Amino acid sequence: MGKYIIDEERLKAVGENYRRISDEVRELAVKAGRSEGDVRLMCVTKTVEPPYINEALRLGADLIGENRVQEFLGKKDELELSDVQAHLIGHLQTNKVRQIVGEVDMIESVSSFKLAKEISRVSSARGIVTDCLAEVNIGREESKSGIMPEELFETLAMISELPGIRIRGLMAIPPICGDMDEARRYFAAVRQYFIDIKDKKLDNINMELLSMGMSADYPAAIAEGSNIVRVGSAIFGARRYY
Ligand SMILES: *Cc1c(COP(=O)(O)O)cnc(C)c1O
């Protein structure tokens, strides 16, 4: 492993952060009236070099999230991924679908019917079913991808007809908020969609996973029913790029 210059201080900090936050996530789950293991902590590993990721994995992290297809495929072989799941959480272009299907356990960033159709086509051709989450653009932001809330039901109904793709829940990134209360209102809105869709009982659409909450706001997200929190900088430190 001579490839990386390891910053021992940072390595230690990653371990401490991981342990502290995973304990906190368990406590927050209980505080929200759920069981301790109900909320999964995803370590968001974009821009992070493999030695630091492996430190969290050795301490028990079992879920990582990467944003870019190329970056993930480039470092995958250096990660200690046995019994660890990897999700793609970043914007996915249709022309990259071929490269990522079968390489991750879930694609959380299904942001359009067009993308779902391509995942369906590639997965079917390979004889597999790809687990996905539908990404909701909860703040209706131009700068963000995701399905607009008012189009969510119709889009999911169309996706439900496709082979090779199974929607297992929702993912959302709310707008940057000034305070926790504001963030919480967005999370509550996502949760309401989650419940409404679940009540519709569409074939092939299972509302079991609600992925919301990042370093700045995961406590508010857990309070509003999140069961996957995606935490990057609070574990690995500030990112210098992206
Ligand atoms: C980067 C990223 C995260 C983690 O962000 P932090 O603020 O560093 O915790 C979570 N989700 C998505 C989709 C991201 O791109």
Side-chain angles (χ1 to χ4, degrees), residues 45 53-54 57-58 61-66 72-73 75-87 103-105:
T45 52
I53 303 172
N54 286 332
L57 298 177
R58 279 191 289 268
D62 61 1
L63 178 61
I64 64 166
E66 276 280 344
F72 176 62
L73 297 178
K75 66 191 184 190
K76 191 176 183 229
D77 290 343
E78 295 177 70
L79 301 178
E80 294 160 18
L81 289 179
S82 66
D83 297 320
V84 173
Q85 293 177 339
H87 291 184
E103 296 289 336
V104 285
D105 298 284

Side-chain angles (χ1 to χ4, degrees), residues 42-46 65-67 88-91 108-109 135 171-173 211 213-218 229-239 242:
M42 170 193 285
C43 297
V44 174
T45 52
K46 63 185 176 212
E66 276 280 344
N67 284 61
L88 186 79
I89 59 172
H91 179 63
E108 293 201 7
S109 39
E135 181 178 352
M171 187 270 257
I173 311 168
S211 173
M214 319 205 300
S215 293
D217 53 19
Y218 63 88
V229 289
R230 308 179 310 267
V231 180
S233 47
I235 295 173
F236 297 107
R239 285 181 292 275
Y242 252 72

Side-chain angles (χ1 to χ4, degrees), residues 76-146:
K76 191 176 183 229
D77 290 343
E78 295 177 70
L79 301 178
E80 294 160 18
L81 289 179
S82 66
D83 297 320
V84 173
Q85 293 177 339
H87 291 184
L88 186 79
I89 59 172
H91 179 63
L92 176 60
Q93 287 166 297
T94 326
N95 63 10
K96 298 266 173 69
V97 168
R98 263 176 299 128
Q99 295 170 59
I100 198 69
V101 162
E103 296 289 336
V104 285
D105 298 284
M106 193 176 292
I107 298 173
E108 293 201 7
S109 39
V110 174
S111 52
S112 67
F113 180 64
K114 182 177 163 232
L115 178 61
K117 235 168 63 182
E118 181 63 4
I119 294 170
S120 161
R121 190 186 69 77
V122 172
S123 304
S124 301
R126 295 184 191 170
I128 60 173
V129 175
T130 300
D131 280 329
C132 293
L133 302 182
E135 181 178 352
V136 192
N137 188 345
I138 196 63
R140 296 185 174 79
E141 294 171 283
E142 291 264 346
S143 60
K144 282 207 181 109
S145 48

Side-chain angles (χ1 to χ4, degrees), residues 10-210:
R10 184 178 174 204
L11 206 61
K12 206 171 131 223
V14 167
E16 287 167 2
N17 293 338
Y18 173 75
R19 271 196 258 253
R20 187 188 68 253
I21 295 172
S22 60
D23 287 348
E24 191 192 353
V25 165
R26 276 193 289 274
E27 285 163 19
L28 289 164
V30 172
K31 241 173 95 180
R34 292 181 284 154
S35 69
E36 210 178 54
D38 192 54
V39 183
R40 289 188 81 185
L41 172 59
M42 170 193 285
C43 297
V44 174
T45 52
K46 63 185 176 212
T47 80
V48 180
E49 292 169 322
Y52 303 101
I53 303 172
N54 286 332
E55 180 69 7
L57 298 177
R58 279 191 289 268
L59 292 173
D62 61 1
L63 178 61
I64 64 166
E66 276 280 344
N67 284 61
R68 294 190 182 167
V69 171
Q70 236 55 48
E71 184 185 339
F72 176 62
L73 297 178
K75 66 191 184 190
K76 191 176 183 229
D77 290 343
E78 295 177 70
L79 301 178
E80 294 160 18
L81 289 179
S82 66
D83 297 320
V84 173
Q85 293 177 339
H87 291 184
L88 186 79
I89 59 172
H91 179 63
L92 176 60
Q93 287 166 297
T94 326
N95 63 10
K96 298 266 173 69
V97 168
R98 263 176 299 128
Q99 295 170 59
I100 198 69
V101 162
E103 296 289 336
V104 285
D105 298 284
M106 193 176 292
I107 298 173
E108 293 201 7
S109 39
V110 174
S111 52
S112 67
F113 180 64
K114 182 177 163 232
L115 178 61
K117 235 168 63 182
E118 181 63 4
I119 294 170
S120 161
R121 190 186 69 77
V122 172
S123 304
S124 301
R126 295 184 191 170
I128 60 173
V129 175
T130 300
D131 280 329
C132 293
L133 302 182
E135 181 178 352
V136 192
N137 188 345
I138 196 63
R140 296 185 174 79
E141 294 171 283
E142 291 264 346
S143 60
K144 282 207 181 109
S145 48
I147 303 165
M148 288 297 171
E150 59 275 16
E151 290 165 8
L152 195 52
F153 292 123
E154 199 190 323
T155 306
L156 286 174
M158 291 195 311
I159 296 176
S160 73
E161 310 271 313
L162 298 173
I165 178 169
R166 179 167 49 212
I167 298 287
R168 299 193 49 198
L170 302 180
M171 187 270 257
I173 311 168
I176 292 170
C177 292
D179 59 72
M180 281 278 192
D181 286 345
E182 196 188 347
R184 198 164 163 167
R185 282 195 291 277
Y186 283 108
F187 293 136
V190 182
R191 174 193 223 170
Q192 195 56 53
Y193 284 109
F194 182 81
I195 292 167
D196 292 347
I197 295 162
K198 195 187 254 178
D199 287 346
K200 287 208 158 56
K201 294 194 170 49
L202 294 168
D203 272 351
N204 211 20
I205 305 284
N206 301 327
M207 284 292 127
E208 337 148 36
L209 301 174
L210 186 51

